Amino acid sequence: MAIRRMLLSRKLLAATLLGVLAGSPEAAWARVKLITLPVRERVEIQLDNEQATLVEEERIVPLVKGENQIDFSWANTQIDPGTIVFRVVEGDDAPEVKVLSVSYPPNESALVWSVSASEAGAARVRISYLLGNLTKSFNYRAVASNDERTLDLSQFMRLKNLANEEFAGASLWAGFGPNFSQPVGLNETKELLVERFKAVPIEKTYTCNPQEYEYLDRAQNKLRVPMHYVIKNDAEHGLGKAALPFGKVRIFIAGGGDDPQAGTAFLGEDWGKFTPRDDEMRLYLGVAQDVVVKRTIEKNETRRVSGNLYDQELIVKFEVENFKKQPVRLDVIENLRHLRNEVRGDNGRDVKWELGKETTFADGPDEERSNAEQLVFHAELPAAGKDGKAEKQALKLHITLKNEW
């Protein structure tokens, strides 16, 4: 009610001033309350920045010849006054307008522009500012095909308006995708479909990494094997138009998993990280129960080099079984600092290492994903037999930690 009384009082003030001007043409000035008097002709709301929302609006303001004063007030609205920019849009029939000064009335959320007009007439003005409490977030719906080779990805933007200001017919832009022409009401939350990507190729991965995922059963040396859908954000995979913003992903599978005749089944939720172009988004699906990996340190020998300098020779053994009906590619990740801490304790120094000849992973380390501290290997696991029995493979990582003390 306080706001309404304020707006009404300003309307009466402006009407009074305009009446004075009509009766006294010699008085070459006018006050125009932009909040209450001229309605917005156009509103653009840009939501591409994570920290701020940019609003740009245009209004047609009646001016008299000579000096005019234009008030802009924003009581109870989180407009950043330091960001307000006022411009006059030039037009064929518009008077020539120049901005003379700007002043800030004390104890008010308002400012006043003094402008001069070459003649009486209507001028289109453009005002832009940063607005708080008008925010956005993103979420996704991902439906995998029954064979888990492709995925339909729908991207939604959720808009929440707690700015105590409403915008009729606003043009909304998230920084990518289409522009939306939507009214934004007071305290309104709405969800908009931004993009829908059909049949995006995906990779389902199985990964064991004791440093990141630890053990499922430490007493039996059984590693946890999480599963992920991996989405590559590039043109080859039907994406890559823009970065994928951070947001919650609800994951479904068509055909209810193993039953292609069943309806769509819910697999779970995960938070999709901000994914730039050409990067990957990994969606967690849970821990595989039918891929078993047991990790043991088969060899652990210390050799003196000189003085108190030693080499530590290690063989890490992975016993792997796949009880699934389909063959599986397993990613085996070994963090060498974590391994050194496991056998010698944490000394905080960088790890120097050498890969040994007894390593049995067929293709060696993945050069693209491995680095100075972490080795990534791949193991191709055949499907289980018709009797449900799995072939057990024993894979070895032979590594020497150099110059330890």
Side-chain angles (χ1 to χ4, degrees), residues 214-238:
E214 302 180 342
Y215 285 84
L216 183 65
D217 186 337
R218 189 66 184 88
Q220 298 188 39
N221 297 318
K222 188 184 294 184
L223 289 174
R224 184 175 282 111
V225 182
M227 303 175 290
H228 295 85
Y229 286 152
V230 180
I231 302 171
K232 186 74 178 290
N233 185 20
D234 62 10
E236 184 180 349
H237 292 76

Side-chain angles (χ1 to χ4, degrees), residues 1-205:
M1 292 300 294
I3 299 171
R4 183 176 177 81
R5 284 197 297 273
M6 180 193 71
L7 298 182
L8 286 174
S9 65
R10 292 192 169 189
K11 180 181 287 187
L12 290 173
L13 173 60
T16 303
L17 291 171
L18 289 175
V20 171
L21 289 171
S24 304
E26 296 81 7
W29 63 275
R31 289 194 86 195
V32 180
K33 303 291 187 181
L34 290 183
I35 290 294
T36 57
L37 291 177
V39 297
R40 295 184 179 98
E41 297 292 324
R42 184 181 71 86
V43 183
E44 297 275 350
I45 300 176
Q46 296 191 17
L47 299 152
D48 51 327
N49 192 291
E50 290 292 329
Q51 306 299 326
T53 297
L54 175 64
V55 178
E56 183 178 85
E57 56 182 60
E58 290 184 357
R59 300 171 185 253
I60 295 179
V61 181
L63 299 174
V64 297
K65 183 178 180 180
E67 185 175 343
N68 299 259
Q69 290 186 323
I70 303 175
D71 286 6
F72 181 71
S73 60
W74 58 89
N76 299 321
T77 303
Q78 288 197 5
I79 291 178
D80 183 350
T83 64
I84 299 173
V85 176
F86 175 86
R87 288 164 290 176
V88 179
V89 181
E90 296 181 356
D92 294 337
D93 299 328
E96 183 180 351
V97 180
K98 293 182 179 179
V99 179
L100 303 176
S101 65
V102 58
S103 60
Y104 296 84
N107 303 319
E108 285 190 49
S109 297
L111 57 78
V112 180
W113 290 290
S114 292
V115 301
S116 68
S118 61
E119 57 185 74
R124 179 180 288 267
V125 299
R126 184 176 298 162
I127 303 168
S128 60
Y129 47 86
L130 296 182
L131 180 65
N133 284 343
L134 179 56
T135 59
K136 61 152 186 338
S137 61
F138 292 91
N139 64 84
Y140 303 84
R141 175 184 167 88
V143 182
S145 60
N146 187 256
D147 60 5
E148 298 183 292
R149 295 180 182 275
T150 62
L151 179 146
D152 292 343
L153 184 67
S154 300
Q155 181 185 54
F156 300 90
M157 179 176 68
R158 182 169 298 173
L159 190 69
K160 181 179 290 187
N161 178 22
L162 301 177
N164 200 31
E165 182 64 73
E166 59 183 343
F167 302 92
S171 177
L172 306 168
W173 190 57
F176 61 90
N179 281 357
F180 298 97
S181 181
Q182 294 275 336
V184 181
L186 288 174
N187 301 320
E188 184 179 33
T189 299
K190 61 171 56 180
E191 193 160 281
L192 306 168
L193 175 64
V194 179
E195 294 281 2
R196 179 169 287 157
F197 306 98
K198 304 288 286 185
V200 176
I202 57 172
E203 180 185 4
K204 185 175 183 179
T205 64

Side-chain angles (χ1 to χ4, degrees), residues 178-327:
N179 281 357
F180 298 97
S181 181
Q182 294 275 336
V184 181
L186 288 174
N187 301 320
E188 184 179 33
T189 299
K190 61 171 56 180
E191 193 160 281
L192 306 168
L193 175 64
V194 179
E195 294 281 2
R196 179 169 287 157
F197 306 98
K198 304 288 286 185
V200 176
I202 57 172
E203 180 185 4
K204 185 175 183 179
T205 64
Y206 298 80
T207 308
C208 64
N209 181 348
Q211 188 255 344
E212 184 173 0
Y213 304 122
E214 302 180 342
Y215 285 84
L216 183 65
D217 186 337
R218 189 66 184 88
Q220 298 188 39
N221 297 318
K222 188 184 294 184
L223 289 174
R224 184 175 282 111
V225 182
M227 303 175 290
H228 295 85
Y229 286 152
V230 180
I231 302 171
K232 186 74 178 290
N233 185 20
D234 62 10
E236 184 180 349
H237 292 76
L239 300 172
K241 294 181 180 178
L244 297 174
F246 170 81
K248 180 175 285 188
V249 185
R250 292 175 58 82
I251 308 167
F252 301 82
I253 185 169
D258 292 337
D259 183 3
Q261 303 303 318
T264 300
F266 178 62
L267 292 181
E269 294 181 343
D270 193 17
W271 288 98
K273 67 169 187 175
F274 174 81
T275 309
R277 291 177 178 173
D278 299 324
D279 203 350
E280 294 179 344
M281 177 184 285
R282 298 174 64 85
L283 302 177
Y284 176 72
L285 300 173
V287 176
Q289 302 297 325
D290 40 16
V291 176
V292 178
V293 182
K294 292 184 178 179
R295 174 184 179 273
T296 55
I297 296 181
E298 188 177 70
K299 183 178 183 179
N300 182 6
E301 294 182 359
T302 303
R303 292 196 304 270
R304 185 178 179 181
V305 179
S306 66
N308 62 347
L309 205 61
Y310 297 88
D311 285 348
Q312 192 90 21
E313 185 178 5
L314 300 166
I315 293 181
V316 184
K317 181 180 177 182
F318 300 89
E319 295 177 281
V320 184
E321 294 174 284
N322 174 27
F323 293 92
K324 298 179 73 66
K325 297 177 183 177
Q326 306 83 25

